[in-house]
Amino acid sequence: MVWRAKNVRQEVEGLLLALERQAREAVGLAERAQRDMDDDRFASYGDFRRKVEEVRALVALTEDRLRAYVGEKLDDLRTEFERMDLLLTVMLVKATRNYFATMKDDQVLPIGARELFEPELRNLEETRAKLAQPRFQGQVPDTVLAELEETVGMIGKIIARAPSLPDFSDAPAAPKPVRRLRTLGRPIRT
C-alpha cells in the first residue's frame, strides 16, 4: 500500500508539472498569435488552439487520476490541482480575449475562419459552465466572468462576418467520360 501511494503521488506530481509546462507554452503561443494578428496571419492561432487542447486533455487526465485514488492521501495535490486548474482557466480566458480583442473590425478573414472560430465558442461555453460549478463559487473574480462574456460576444461578431468553407456537397456529379480509355490509344483511320 505504501508503494502504491508513493507511486500515485509521483504520477500526479508529474502530471501537475507537465500541466504547468504546457500552460507556459500555451501563453507563449497566445502571445505569438496575437503578434501575428497584426500581419493578418492566422496559422499561429492554430498552434495556440492545439496547445490549449493539450492542456485541456492533461487537466482531464489529472482530474481522472485524482478521482480514481479517493482513498489515497493526496489532499494537498488535489488542492494544488484545483488552484492550478482555476489559474489555467483564467489564463486561457484572458489569452483568448486578448487575441480576439486585437482583431480589427475591417480585418480580412481567411476562408474557413468561421469553422476555425466556432469551436472557440463551444470551449468558452464549457468554461462558463465549469466556472459556474459550486467548487469555483467565490474564487473566480467578477472581472474574469465579464471578460468571458465579452469574449463570447466578440467571437460571435467575428463569426457573423467570417467566410466559411465552400460547400461542394450539392454540386452535380462529374460527367461520365465519352470515350473509354482503351479506345484512346488506337490510331485514327482516315
Side-chain angles (χ1 to χ4, degrees):
M1 183 69 172
V2 173
W3 178 82
R4 182 173 176 226
K6 185 176 180 181
N7 198 18
V8 169
R9 176 171 276 287
Q10 288 174 343
E11 181 184 10
V12 172
E13 286 173 348
L15 287 170
L16 290 175
L17 287 173
L19 254 175
E20 190 176 336
R21 185 177 57 253
Q22 293 286 341
R24 276 195 302 262
E25 290 176 18
V27 168
L29 289 171
E31 291 170 356
R32 190 178 101 209
Q34 197 171 347
R35 282 191 309 269
D36 288 351
M37 179 59 66
D38 294 334
D39 299 328
D40 290 338
R41 295 190 331 220
F42 291 88
S44 56
Y45 175 75
D47 295 338
F48 167 66
R49 286 308 314 151
R50 280 187 289 281
K51 185 57 72 174
V52 167
E53 290 307 314
E54 288 177 21
V55 169
R56 288 172 54 119
L58 205 51
V59 164
L61 178 65
T62 306
E63 196 170 35
D64 187 51
R65 290 291 190 266
L66 285 170
R67 198 177 304 123
Y69 300 109
V70 175
E72 307 296 337
K73 296 182 179 182
L74 301 173
D75 291 338
D76 59 327
L77 294 179
R78 279 187 184 84
T79 303
E80 178 63 20
F81 169 73
E82 288 174 3
R83 184 192 67 76
M84 189 178 292
D85 186 25
L86 179 62
L87 182 67
L88 287 171
T89 302
V90 169
M91 181 184 66
L92 293 175
V93 166
K94 287 180 182 275
T96 303
R97 183 195 167 283
N98 290 342
Y99 176 79
F100 285 100
T102 59
M103 199 174 288
K104 301 173 209 91
D105 289 337
D106 62 345
Q107 187 163 13
V108 177
L109 299 171
I111 293 176
R114 179 182 302 262
E115 288 78 9
L116 180 67
F117 297 142
E118 282 176 342
E120 199 64 48
L121 277 179
R122 286 190 296 274
N123 289 341
L124 290 174
E125 291 297 328
E126 289 174 12
T127 301
R128 181 189 293 157
K130 179 180 180 176
L131 293 178
Q133 292 176 357
R135 69 180 179 152
F136 290 118
Q137 293 299 324
Q139 295 181 8
V140 182
D142 292 336
T143 56
V144 172
L145 297 174
E147 286 177 353
L148 181 63
E149 296 303 321
E150 183 183 350
T151 306
V152 167
M154 279 190 284
I155 294 173
K157 288 178 184 176
I158 291 168
I159 287 175
R161 68 180 178 87
S164 61
L165 291 172
D167 182 13
F168 296 112
S169 63
D170 294 335
K176 293 183 179 182
V178 178
R179 293 185 162 184
R180 294 183 173 239
L181 291 177
R182 67 175 185 220
T183 59
L184 290 177
R186 292 185 189 164
I188 301 177
R189 295 183 184 161
T190 55

